[in-house]
Amino acid sequence: MKKKQRQNDIIKTLRSSQEPVSGTALSEIFKVSRQSIVSDIALLKAAHYNIISTNKGYVIVDPPPKEKVFKVYHSHEEIGDELYTIIDAGGFVKDVFIIHDLYGKIQVNLLLATRADVDKFVTGLEEKKTSPLMKLTGKVHFHTVEAASEGILLAVEKSLQEKGYLIAGQ
């Protein structure tokens, strides 16, 4: 198992455990030395994972994600680029919604975390010849974006603004 994959699996193991997981237990699970686990934990902490070492083992404390709604406008052809812009800045695209004059709020979960997710979504629109919700409101729509920090949400906002997708005065 590659080191990066093991680190991702360590995070998953810690998140799924209801109690601290000892370094010895992790070394047995991943069939590496205890020292390799200590090194992995140090690297994960340096990567801003909030891992706490207790006398009974390691615990990960995930703060609740931050969330912001962005009001955006762009052409049909720019859908992929707009979503890439959010993902590349570190955001998670939770949904898309519009406010329709007659029907009110129409909302659809997107759950896009990677470029591959975006590609699949855009391909689905094309293959199924489906119109995006923004077509109902003259291209104006909203995305709820989640991120690990306010800083990431600010980076998303700045990137959307630089590309001319963001509508000011949300």
Side-chain angles (χ1 to χ4, degrees):
M1 175 182 287
K2 300 267 185 201
K3 187 173 192 162
K4 189 69 176 161
Q5 181 60 50
R6 183 176 66 241
Q7 290 173 356
N8 288 336
D9 290 347
I10 288 170
I11 294 297
K12 289 177 188 173
T13 301
L14 294 177
R15 284 184 173 147
S16 65
S17 178
Q18 298 298 318
E19 54 192 46
V21 182
S22 72
T24 302
L26 290 170
S27 68
E28 289 171 4
I29 291 168
F30 298 108
K31 301 192 183 341
V32 295
S33 70
R34 170 93 170 72
Q35 186 55 44
S36 292
I37 297 298
V38 170
S39 174
D40 287 339
I41 296 293
L43 290 169
L44 290 167
K45 284 181 178 182
H48 305 294
Y49 285 96
N50 193 12
I51 299 173
I52 299 170
S53 303
T54 72
N55 62 348
K56 294 183 179 183
Y58 297 107
V59 177
I60 190 164
V61 180
D62 285 326
K66 306 295 181 198
E67 188 175 277
K68 184 167 183 171
V69 173
F70 294 99
K71 184 177 183 182
V72 292
Y73 173 93
H74 55 76
S75 71
H76 182 94
E77 296 75 27
E78 294 171 314
I79 291 172
D81 185 61
E82 175 225 19
L83 296 170
Y84 284 156
T85 299
I86 295 168
I87 300 295
D88 291 347
F92 171 77
V93 185
K94 186 174 175 182
D95 63 26
V96 61
F97 67 91
I98 60 167
I99 307 299
H100 191 272
D101 290 340
L102 179 60
Y103 301 119
K105 184 177 184 178
I106 303 172
Q107 183 174 6
V108 177
N109 288 335
L110 292 181
L111 310 176
L112 306 174
T114 65
R115 281 181 160 254
D117 293 341
V118 172
D119 292 342
K120 185 176 177 183
F121 174 73
V122 171
T123 300
L125 282 174
E126 293 167 1
E127 287 177 354
K128 295 175 181 165
K129 297 182 176 30
T130 302
S131 295
L133 284 179
M134 66 184 207
K135 187 173 182 180
L136 296 173
T137 55
K139 302 178 187 170
V140 174
H141 58 288
F142 301 83
H143 287 294
T144 306
V145 176
E146 288 184 353
S149 69
E150 290 292 335
I152 292 172
L153 289 174
L154 288 172
V156 169
E157 183 173 6
K158 181 180 178 193
S159 296
L160 289 170
Q161 190 170 37
E162 286 172 356
K163 292 204 172 183
Y165 298 146
L166 188 67
I167 296 175
Q170 309 174 55

